[in-house]
Amino acid sequence: MTITYKDAQGIAGMRVAGRLASEVLDYLTPFVVPGVTTNALDKLAHDYIVNVQGAIPAPLNYTGGGKIPYPKSICTSVNHQVCHGIPNDKALKKGDVLNIDVTVIKNTWHGDTSRMFFVGEASIAAKRLAAVTYDAMWHGIKMVKPGVYLGDIGHAIQRFTEGHGFSVVREFCGHGIGQVFHEEPQVLHYGRPGTLDKLVEGMTFTIEPMVNAGRKEIKEGPEKDGWTIVTQDRSLSAQWEHTVLVTPTGYEVLTLSAGSPPIPAFVLA
Ligand code: MF3
Ligand code: CO
Ligand code: CO
């Protein structure tokens, strides 16, 4: 596997796929209420992607790294679930906090994005974790431009996150993306400035930090479904994800849509 650099046509395809992925999250937002099951959200997302967007839900039957095929169309990771939670028939309840991760394929191109959702009202602690994780992602995005190192991105995310007393999950990372769901490079959410690959115009990759309120260690979930990951200490975990393009002068976030949360002021300044 190698890094792929997108030309004008590839960039156009990535823009469309990215917007569609984000629009799935917009569409799901009003349905994330107490009593809904993650299976119901999965069905809503699946039907919207296939029937309205004319796209393909990339997770469905995905076997990244020789795993058992992923059985659903979105990932729903609730509370202390870190990532890759599989939708099920359990109803969400007031106070739950979850990540919904959507990846669509449109005209062969992938768009990958996730957001945090609160079911009813959330605890101060959950809101703070989600907000810090959101800002951590943007501290990483803000670094992106040609000549910057992947280690600079990881360092920015790690420094900000740990500065708020939270921890960065190490075992999962962002990734190159294009006509392949997960391609090179790996985009670590921790690291040292000036290390790893230098960014080049035309690269597209995700930045998707997983941040734990407690310790960084994770484990396989008790479901033993081959996918669900949880925090070892059962502390809450949060994640946000965008797909970005390296432009000649900086970056373009490809997974924005009408319902995207505001870009933090420190990014625009
Ligand atoms: N969307 C996830 C990511 O950000 C990957 C999910 S793989 C799946 O990379 F099979 F669990 F869907
Ligand atoms: Co991703
Ligand atoms: Co994703």
Side-chain angles (χ1 to χ4, degrees), residues 113 179 185:
T113 186
Q179 291 179 298

Side-chain angles (χ1 to χ4, degrees), residues 101 103 112-113 173-175 177 181-182 206-208 239 241 243:
D101 192 337
T103 311
D112 188 7
T113 186
C173 56
H175 49 91
I177 181 168
F181 193 167
H182 296 101
T206 71
I207 297 181
E208 50 177 303
Q239 180 179 25
E241 175 176 24
T243 300

